Amino acid sequence: MYYTILNLFLIALPALSFGQDSGFDMDKLKFHGRGLHIPKDTIINMFGEADIAYPEYECGGFSSDWQGCTFYQLKYQYFNYIGCDSALFTLEKVTMDHQGEVKLYYDGMPLTGQTTKADFINIFGKGTVSRFRQDENGESVLLLAKGYDNGFRFVFRDGKLSSCEYWTSC
């Protein structure tokens, strides 16, 4: 009996410590009702024609040399997608506006230019958001996807969310 109670306590301890799972699930991140990876035609049907840019990344998931296809960006005013013609395009970067009209959602919770660091920690949980780093762009936090070496980097300026971008290692 004693061991059963002890085992139940040890199983429940992580949940009591963090209040929720300590992983970041990129499948729960939505932009205009869609996941991060969508076909180019869907993007153009939703947002219209875009400016095209060829970033020529040297390494990582969007490196044309590494992946064997030419990656390019579909650039809009507040966001861009990146991909190549033989694969889905990925939401690469979103720049938030001060009015909070540009929205990204995580598990149904809005992330806007009005989202504070405290709001952000409440949405993702203390177990997921371990620490912020200060740099010339403001304060940022990188949330790695569960079981992968990619994730999203969220940048805060003046205490509010200013941008977020897909991150992949080299």
Side-chain angles (χ1 to χ4, degrees), residues 42-77:
T42 301
I43 298 166
I44 293 172
N45 286 338
M46 289 174 67
F47 305 112
E49 292 297 324
D51 292 333
I52 305 290
Y54 294 88
E56 299 182 24
Y57 296 132
E58 292 180 17
C59 62
F62 302 124
S63 167
S64 295
D65 291 339
W66 283 27
Q67 304 298 330
C69 66
T70 302
F71 282 89
Y72 59 97
Q73 296 167 324
L74 301 174
K75 297 184 79 121
Y76 295 91
Q77 182 178 2

Side-chain angles (χ1 to χ4, degrees), residues 20-30 35-37 90-91 104-109 111 120-121 123-130 141-154 161 164-168:
Q20 61 179 297
D21 185 18
S22 63
F24 171 58
D25 185 352
M26 287 200 334
D27 290 335
K28 293 182 179 181
L29 206 53
K30 306 289 183 203
L36 299 179
H37 312 288
T90 299
L91 182 64
L104 195 63
Y105 288 87
Y106 184 77
D107 202 18
M109 299 296 294
L111 300 167
F120 187 83
I121 292 168
I123 291 168
F124 290 99
K126 288 181 183 177
T128 299
V129 182
S130 59
V141 62
L142 174 63
L143 301 184
L144 293 175
K146 291 185 212 177
Y148 296 96
D149 64 350
N150 61 356
F152 249 77
R153 182 174 167 261
F154 297 87
L161 184 61
C164 56
E165 60 190 350
Y166 183 85
W167 180 90
T168 182

Side-chain angles (χ1 to χ4, degrees), residues 32 103 162:
H32 287 266
K103 295 178 182 167
S162 97

Side-chain angles (χ1 to χ4, degrees), residues 79-98:
F79 59 92
N80 73 274
Y81 284 85
I82 188 167
C84 66
D85 290 332
S86 63
L88 295 176
F89 276 65
T90 299
L91 182 64
E92 184 179 29
K93 184 169 184 175
V94 178
T95 302
M96 302 301 179
D97 64 325
H98 296 294

